[in-house]
Amino acid sequence: MKRKFSPFFAILLFVAITQISCAQSGYKITGNISGCPEGMTAYLYKGNAQVLYPNMIIDSALIVNGAFTFTGNLEPAELLSVLFKPLKRNDPMYNISPVIPLFMENGNTVTIQGALEDVPLQNFTGSGTYDLSKLNIGGSKTVDLYKEYAKTKLENYDKEAVQEYLTYVRANPKLPISVGIAAAKKWDAGKLKQIEYAKDFIRQHAGNIVSLFVFQDHLGSFTAAPTFSYAEIDELQAILLDKFTHTEYGKVIMSQADRVKKSAVGAPFTDLTLQTPEGKDVKLSDHVGKGKYVLLDFWASWCGPCRADIPYLKKTFELFHPAGFEIIGISMDDDKAKWIKAIEEEKLYEWSQISDLQGFATSRIADAYNFSGIPACIFINPNGTIVSRDLRGPWRDMILLDIYGNLFGNEY
């Protein structure tokens, strides 16, 4: 006996088949990038230059006449990056590659068109924001949202302020301290615009994966300090936590936020027990949180920029120590003899010198205060709360001036 299906059942069957097909369709990335040399390969990575996974290479494709294609399944949405690398590791482009970040999920079909010279290069300075305005990327509203964020962030970057600061640095000490402070304040004003925009963006688009990227973009990375404070990280983490902890990308960022928050501006200092050159145990809490402002200066015998800053640091200490300013030198050396020799050469006897002599390899110091390069410093108020990070040059002058008044005399 033949069965007849009603039109309604046929429609239901069609919808069901369509839904199954869409669920299994995965994602597709089709690129056409002119200017790619023969032998260049496009790699599809998880994350970006600042967020790396243990097994982050998803796929690779040899570029033929500028064209390449990636297909796959991705559930839920994740941040991916297309990197362009030559076959030879000795090529200068191999380690600093052109990169296109994409926020992908199943059902996305993204097309990329443009020239290789217009693809931004990996940025290892702490910002994962890339200008994609010269590329034609279609098929994803999420990518459009990222481009909107990147465009506004880069517009808020005050190139003129940065140039003024660099001019001061090159001319220093010929220019008055007040000139450097003015340049630093102008630079900070541009940063504040970026921070306020990022916070508003996250609040407005909290359910979109781009908001998670924006959060990470201001947590800092590598040698860059976070731009969000302890309170801001706490607030924004709470907004994003439930929405993204089930994703691999979300877990990585939330873990990073937990680590960064421990030493962000507004956080209480982390106590450590370190040793003097004579081997005596000293706790940071013996000196920090005792009613004085304290600068933790992280340095090492092998760090040229650290040692170049010592004369100016000594002068600052001489001027402000009588008013209550303290410094603690914390060495990232792993060789005691070299550490002691550097102390003697620089005559660093005015303030305490301590270390665990573990360098960066296994040091608790870098982990506790979230830095991976020196010179670095943490400024702590009389109650033991971190009030500034990387307080150097005009920024150090500015905060000391605000706290103690003008003790620079005619140099100001």
Side-chain angles (χ1 to χ4, degrees), residues 252-310:
V252 170
I253 302 307
M254 291 305 160
S255 176
Q256 182 183 354
D258 288 337
R259 185 180 71 254
V260 169
K261 191 164 59 173
K262 292 188 300 182
S263 63
V265 170
F269 82 98
T270 298
D271 200 10
L272 296 171
T273 300
L274 305 173
Q275 291 75 44
T276 67
E278 295 76 28
K280 179 184 176 182
D281 283 351
V282 174
K283 290 184 177 180
L284 289 183
S285 56
D286 293 339
H287 302 280
V288 178
K290 302 296 185 183
K292 293 185 177 182
Y293 284 92
V294 180
L295 179 71
L296 304 183
D297 180 50
F298 303 99
W299 72 291
S301 63
W302 44 262
C303 174
C306 301
R307 297 184 66 163
D309 192 46
I310 288 174

Side-chain angles (χ1 to χ4, degrees), residues 198-275:
K199 290 191 295 184
D200 289 343
F201 185 99
I202 292 169
R203 292 169 185 143
Q204 184 179 350
H205 303 286
N208 191 291
I209 191 172
V210 180
S211 64
L212 186 62
F213 166 82
V214 174
F215 180 53
Q216 186 273 332
D217 195 30
H218 288 269
L219 287 177
S221 184
F222 296 95
T223 58
T227 56
F228 286 149
S229 68
Y230 178 93
E232 289 167 337
I233 294 173
D234 212 35
E235 177 211 342
L236 298 174
Q237 197 174 14
I239 291 173
L240 297 168
L241 196 61
D242 293 338
K243 297 177 175 63
F244 295 106
T245 49
H246 63 291
T247 71
E248 188 174 9
Y249 181 46
K251 290 175 183 176
V252 170
I253 302 307
M254 291 305 160
S255 176
Q256 182 183 354
D258 288 337
R259 185 180 71 254
V260 169
K261 191 164 59 173
K262 292 188 300 182
S263 63
V265 170
F269 82 98
T270 298
D271 200 10
L272 296 171
T273 300
L274 305 173
Q275 291 75 44

Side-chain angles (χ1 to χ4, degrees), residues 3 35 42 92 107 120 123 130 165 184 187 217 223 257 263 280 301 316 389:
R3 294 176 180 245
N123 184 345
Y130 296 98
Y165 169 72
W187 191 338
D217 195 30
T223 58
S263 63
K280 179 184 176 182
S301 63
T316 304
R389 293 183 57 101

